[in-house]
């Protein structure tokens, strides 16, 4: 069974601070996706990374896929209260279309 | 939420009743996935379907659960003789094709509560 471990599980910071969320596995994934989920809603796709070592930026969010395609990170610069939410990483195991999800990082940004 | 429509949004059933959850994929998407999210848990894959075919049901409980995606109409996740442990949020996702790195877009889910 391929597992994705996310850390930290909870993160509470002040507006303007930087943060990094990690997503780790002992298994290789064909691709990895980051989602953000608000209470009462479904996950919303932020980014898909495919190539080992790939870095993608989305405004103040920077996503990196590990060289070995076993891990990923999400870095947020100058966090804002609007960044508050549950961040989920999900990996696509090779040869399978189903997604394996981490348990998520619940981020709270205090004004 | 990205065009995937799920209904109902909330469903209350008594133990022993049947629950039917519906999912209409995004326009142009022919691949549907169902996931279950328990409190404080991540989303768990249940089943992957294309029109009229079940491709992967490795995450489905062996009893009481079934899924279909008919030629016409929405995908249906059916739970017979519901029990308290079935209480969860059920999410549907769709993608244009089930190939490598095609992103899955999620609906807002159906929250099932069993009394």
């Amino acid at each position: 069974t391929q597992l994705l471990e996310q850390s930290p599980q909870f993160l509470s910071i002040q507006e303007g601070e930087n943060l990094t969320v990690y997503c780790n596995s002992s298994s290789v994934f064909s691709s990895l996706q980051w989602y953000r989920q608000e209470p009462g809603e479904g996950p919303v796709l932020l980014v898909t990374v495919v190539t080992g070592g790939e870095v993608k930026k989305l405004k103040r969010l920077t996503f990196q896929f590990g060289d070995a395609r076993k891990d990923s990170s999400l870095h947020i610069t100058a966090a804002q209260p609007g960044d508050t939410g549950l961040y989920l990483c999900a990996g696509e195991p090779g040869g399978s279309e189903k997604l394996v999800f981490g348990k998520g990082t619940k981020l709270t940004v205090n004004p | 939420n990205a065009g995937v429509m799920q209904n109902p949004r909330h469903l209350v059933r008594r133990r022993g009743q049947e629950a039917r959850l519906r999912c209409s994929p995004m326009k142009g998407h022919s691949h549907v996935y169902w996931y279950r999210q328990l409190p404080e848990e991540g989303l768990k894959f249940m089943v992957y379907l294309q029109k009229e075919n079940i491709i992967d049901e490795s995450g489905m409980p062996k009893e009481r659960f079934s899924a279909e995606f008919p030629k016409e109409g929405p995908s249906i996740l059916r739970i017979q003789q519901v029990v308290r442990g079935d209480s969860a949020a059920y999410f549907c996702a769709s993608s244009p094709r089930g190939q490598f790195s095609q992103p899955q877009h999620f609906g807002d889910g159906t929250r099932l509560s069993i009394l």
Side-chain angles (χ1 to χ4, degrees):
Chain A
T1 302
Q2 293 175 285
L3 297 174
L4 281 169
E5 301 286 341
Q6 281 190 246
S7 61
Q9 189 175 356
F10 299 96
L11 187 56
S12 180
I13 61 171
Q14 293 299 123
E15 182 176 0
E17 292 183 1
N18 301 333
L19 67 115
T20 302
V21 174
Y22 299 93
C23 178
N24 296 302
S25 177
S26 58
S27 304
V28 175
F29 289 91
S30 301
S31 68
L32 200 138
Q33 301 171 15
W34 284 92
Y35 292 83
R36 179 177 153 188
Q37 185 178 21
E38 301 283 356
E41 298 181 5
V44 176
L45 180 67
L46 297 174
V47 77
T48 299
V49 286
V50 175
T51 306
E54 182 176 6
V55 176
K56 282 192 173 179
K57 291 194 174 183
L58 186 65
K59 296 184 180 178
R60 294 176 294 101
L61 278 61
T62 301
F63 304 86
Q64 185 163 9
F65 201 12
D67 291 341
R69 290 186 287 134
K70 293 182 178 181
D71 55 83
S72 181
S73 64
L74 159 60
H75 182 78
I76 302 179
T77 303
Q80 300 176 1
D83 295 327
T84 293
L86 179 67
Y87 290 83
L88 298 164
C89 67
E92 183 178 2
S96 169
E97 292 82 12
K98 63 188 178 189
L99 291 176
V100 174
F101 277 84
K103 290 187 177 181
T105 293
K106 192 167 184 180
L107 172 65
T108 302
V109 182
N110 302 298
Chain B
N1 188 0
V4 177
M5 302 301 295
Q6 289 189 249
N7 67 83
R9 290 294 308 277
H10 300 274
L11 182 61
V12 180
R13 285 287 178 265
R14 295 188 181 280
R15 282 177 293 173
Q17 291 185 320
E18 178 180 290
R20 292 171 70 89
L21 287 60
R22 296 174 185 78
C23 169
S24 296
M26 283 182 68
K27 187 177 180 180
H29 287 193
S30 58
H31 297 251
V32 166
Y33 311 79
W34 285 93
Y35 294 83
R36 177 165 62 178
Q37 186 175 38
L38 293 167
E40 308 305 324
E41 293 285 330
L43 283 86
K44 303 289 187 194
F45 168 81
M46 299 182 74
V47 62
Y48 162 38
L49 310 103
Q50 295 178 30
K51 285 283 187 182
E52 301 184 279
N53 284 306
I54 296 175
I55 306 303
D56 182 345
E57 57 181 346
S58 58
M60 288 278 271
K62 295 206 180 329
E63 297 179 349
R64 303 187 298 107
F65 285 71
S66 62
E68 62 177 8
F69 189 14
K71 187 176 180 181
E72 301 291 338
S75 175
I76 306 287
L77 179 66
R78 181 183 178 204
I79 312 172
Q80 295 178 289
Q81 299 175 332
V82 296
V83 300
R84 288 252 170 89
D86 297 332
S87 294
Y90 292 82
F91 289 95
C92 168
S94 71
S95 68
R97 49 187 188 276
Q99 291 180 7
F100 169 64
S101 80
Q102 287 296 316
Q104 295 181 19
H105 297 270
F106 284 79
D108 281 336
T110 294
R111 277 141 189 88
L112 175 64
S113 298
I114 308 302
L115 301 179

